[in-house]
Amino acid sequence: MYFTHADEIWDVHPNLRALVVVTDNVLGAEQGHQRIKKLAEDIDRRQAAAAEAEMPEIAAWREAFARMGLKPTQYRCASEALLRRYRKSKDMPSFHPLVDYLNYVSMAFGTPIAAFDMSKVAEGIEVRPATGSETYLTFQGESENPAEGEVVFADPEGYAHSRRWTYRQSGKSVVSAETDRVLIVSEAHHDTAADDLAAMEAELHGGLTDLGVRIVTTAMIDPSHRRLDFSYS
């Protein structure tokens, strides 16, 4: 299997950096309440210091959305959407032990995190402009076709596993109670992205271990290392 970005993405977004984490044993995941409590404290400090739009991670994603022709206040990257929701309620609904933990990591680092059930993905994922023929399944089970040129997470069978890059994931590959193998991807554009993703990697190593999830491999994606090939033993 593989994860990669198309050359067209690098041409427009040369500052892009990504952390990719391949995991299994997700069926054994347990709630990580203490870990989430610590992350929540970090989030509270971030939000006390700045509005979401002023956070460098969010500001850089807003600029990336603008380069794609999207209004940043209409379409928000996933981490900004989570932070805005959390600011209002100071709590998040529970979906799945892994997803719950990753949501808090995303907010603590201000960076979108996607989690894909790899049993629902054919061969691998390429982040690329859509051709217009891809199929995207909503969480309500409805089918959509992303517009030509829209950035999507696509597999070779023509499924789009996201819309508008980091705006919304697909219901097809969402993590569920039956999921055991998950590909975790976090992408960033801000000046200190490489260092911050390295710090996120350290957090994930500890947090995923606490949850009982096994890390198969990890990789940093940058202009000199654009693809990760991996397999499950």
Side-chain angles (χ1 to χ4, degrees):
M1 305 196 81
Y2 63 86
F3 177 83
T4 190
H5 293 82
D7 289 344
E8 296 95 321
I9 300 299
W10 292 106
D11 291 343
V12 180
H13 307 278
N15 293 328
L16 173 66
R17 300 292 182 270
L19 168 65
V20 183
V21 182
V22 181
T23 69
D24 65 7
N25 197 43
V26 174
L27 284 172
E30 301 177 355
Q31 289 290 352
H33 297 294
Q34 289 304 116
R35 203 91 190 189
I36 285 177
K37 181 179 178 181
K38 172 62 169 61
L39 290 166
E41 293 172 354
D42 295 340
I43 296 163
D44 289 341
R45 284 193 289 270
R46 284 183 63 99
Q47 292 191 319
E52 285 72 32
E54 297 170 349
M55 298 177 184
E57 305 89 346
I58 302 297
W61 265 110
R62 284 185 166 214
E63 292 175 4
F65 272 41
R67 287 195 294 274
M68 293 188 288
L70 301 174
K71 293 182 178 180
T73 55
Q74 181 178 2
Y75 298 106
R76 305 181 190 278
C77 73
S79 54
E80 180 178 3
L82 288 171
L83 282 163
R84 289 169 64 87
R85 181 174 184 173
Y86 181 81
R87 186 183 286 276
K88 293 178 181 179
S89 64
K90 292 301 178 184
D91 195 15
M92 294 295 291
S94 179
F95 297 103
H96 180 282
L98 176 60
V99 175
D100 296 348
Y101 168 65
L102 292 178
N103 281 343
Y104 276 85
V105 175
S106 176
M107 290 188 289
F109 284 86
T111 305
I113 298 178
F116 303 98
D117 181 336
M118 293 309 287
S119 71
K120 308 296 184 181
V121 176
E123 298 181 41
I125 288 176
E126 181 180 30
V127 182
R128 59 167 174 79
T131 64
S133 64
E134 294 85 1
T135 299
Y136 170 88
L137 297 179
T138 70
F139 283 90
Q140 292 72 41
E142 299 173 349
S143 295
E144 299 176 354
N145 297 109
E148 182 178 356
E150 179 183 328
V151 178
V152 296
F153 282 67
D155 71 23
E157 290 188 349
Y159 284 100
H161 295 275
S162 75
R163 290 292 311 267
R164 300 176 181 90
W165 203 343
T166 57
Y167 170 65
R168 185 165 292 162
Q169 285 191 233
S170 167
K172 178 175 176 58
S173 51
V174 66
V175 174
S176 70
E178 290 74 42
T179 301
D180 194 45
R181 293 175 170 175
V182 173
L183 180 69
I184 300 168
V185 180
S186 183
E187 298 161 296
H189 302 264
H190 61 289
D191 291 343
T192 60
D195 290 340
D196 293 340
L197 289 173
M200 180 188 288
E201 182 179 20
E203 165 59 39
L204 291 176
H205 269 283
L208 294 175
T209 299
D210 287 352
L211 265 64
V213 174
R214 187 174 80 96
I215 296 176
V216 176
T217 189
T218 68
M220 288 290 182
I221 302 295
D222 59 31
S224 64
H225 181 204
R226 301 186 177 191
R227 179 182 173 109
L228 171 66
D229 291 285
F230 61 93
S231 62
Y232 290 98
S233 57

